[in-house]
Amino acid sequence: MKLRKIKRVLSIQDISCLGKCSQTIALPVLSALGSEAVMLPTALLSTHTMFKNFTFKDLSDQIEPIINHWKSEGVKFDAVYTGYIGSEAQIEQVKNIFKEFKDKDTLIFIDPVMADNGKLYPAFDMNYVKKNAELCACADIIVPNITEACFMTGVEYKEKYDENYIKLLLDKLNALGAKINLLTGVSLEDGKTGVMGYDNIKGEYYLYQNKRINAVYHGTGDLFSSVCVGEILKGLDWRDAARIAADYTAHTIEVTLESPEKPWYGVNFEETLPELLKL
Ligand code: PXL
């Protein structure tokens, strides 16, 4: 009998108790795709920061003891996946975690969650952006949206753009140092949206456009990233993983529109997960 080993992924992001995003999306999606999800919560919030009056407990002081305990257990990770990181100081802690746990086959996947629609999320400033850009140098893959890419590269944010603008952004992202740069929310045709990436090692672009659904829900970036990580760990090439993640996210938004909640409560991925497993 051939022995199989489950891939183990460390998910570093906050726990927002209500409002599906970050860990509450990453864990179920990674498990469904067949990886063991280990979580390192960066902060504990009552809701994500698009709600009013959210509570926020920084968990930085827990990171070192947790990591030390895992080291004493000799634990290894096939991937380290980072999302929303609460502060500049925590970005430094994350860099150390990469040093501690990265060996030659460990995938480092960074979603530099900090901004959307031309604006930074509350609590972040340009110093935080600069640190996040430095962190991206450690990655095998980064998946910023256009706003995050603009903040990290200093390129002007535009709502209307063409392929040359996206290629310029990808060029500037490449200079940050990650191996694969994958821009999300790229819309190059009317009624379409998707991703465009550049593989720094092979020198190749990849563009994928699918149907654009005119609705904005919170947590869809986290859904896209979690699916990408899970699919890559299943052995898929990053391009196939990105295509599946883009199609699945769009489909989940469409399904969510059939039972409308307030968009900041997130998408109903619970309904579509069984279909993801068949893709
Ligand atoms: O979905 C990204 C995200 C994750 N975690 C927290 C957030 C956000 C975006 O607003 O506020 C706490």
Side-chain angles (χ1 to χ4, degrees), residues 194-207:
V195 297
M196 186 160 182
Y198 184 73
D199 186 325
N200 223 352
I201 308 290
K202 294 189 178 152
E204 284 170 7
Y205 288 103
Y206 173 68
L207 172 67

Side-chain angles (χ1 to χ4, degrees), residues 80-82 107-111 139-141 143 225 228-229 232:
V80 182
Y81 157 35
T82 70
L107 173 82
I108 305 283
F109 186 105
I110 297 184
D111 184 354
D140 294 297
I141 305 192
V143 291
S225 293
C228 257
V229 174
I232 291 171

Side-chain angles (χ1 to χ4, degrees), residues 20 48 53 74 108 131 138 142-143 146-147 151 157 159 161 168 175 197-198 201 216 222 231 234:
K20 291 173 265 185
H48 60 67
N53 305 321
I108 305 283
K131 277 260 170 233
C138 310
I142 61 169
V143 291
I146 293 178
T147 306
F151 275 110
Y157 174 75
E159 305 237 316
Y161 49 79
L168 168 75
Y198 184 73
I201 308 290
V216 178
D222 301 334
E231 295 290 354
K234 273 167 65 180

Side-chain angles (χ1 to χ4, degrees), residues 49 118 134 170 176 190:
T49 60
E134 281 167 25
L170 285 170
L176 298 180
D190 283 348

Side-chain angles (χ1 to χ4, degrees), residues 14 16 21-22 45 48-50 84 113 121 218-219 222:
D14 66 282
S16 290
C21 70
S22 39
L45 296 88
H48 60 67
T49 60
M50 297 292 123
Y84 186 100
V113 177
Y121 292 147
H218 198 85
D222 301 334

Side-chain angles (χ1 to χ4, degrees), residues 56-125:
F56 184 96
K57 170 83 179 152
D58 184 288
L59 295 176
S60 302
D61 66 350
Q62 293 302 300
I63 292 180
E64 205 182 315
I66 291 175
I67 294 300
N68 286 342
H69 183 202
W70 289 344
K71 270 175 25 196
S72 75
E73 292 287 327
V75 70
K76 299 242 183 288
F77 296 106
D78 298 289
V80 182
Y81 157 35
T82 70
Y84 186 100
I85 303 173
S87 64
E88 281 169 59
Q90 261 185 5
I91 294 180
E92 278 305 313
Q93 290 181 302
V94 170
K95 264 195 207 158
N96 280 332
I97 295 173
F98 290 162
K99 279 195 206 120
E100 292 292 350
F101 291 106
K102 180 163 174 60
D103 62 31
K104 71 176 189 357
D105 295 321
T106 313
L107 173 82
I108 305 283
F109 186 105
I110 297 184
D111 184 354
V113 177
M114 60 183 153
D116 207 358
N117 302 312
K119 287 200 211 102
L120 284 174
Y121 292 147
F124 295 146
D125 60 16

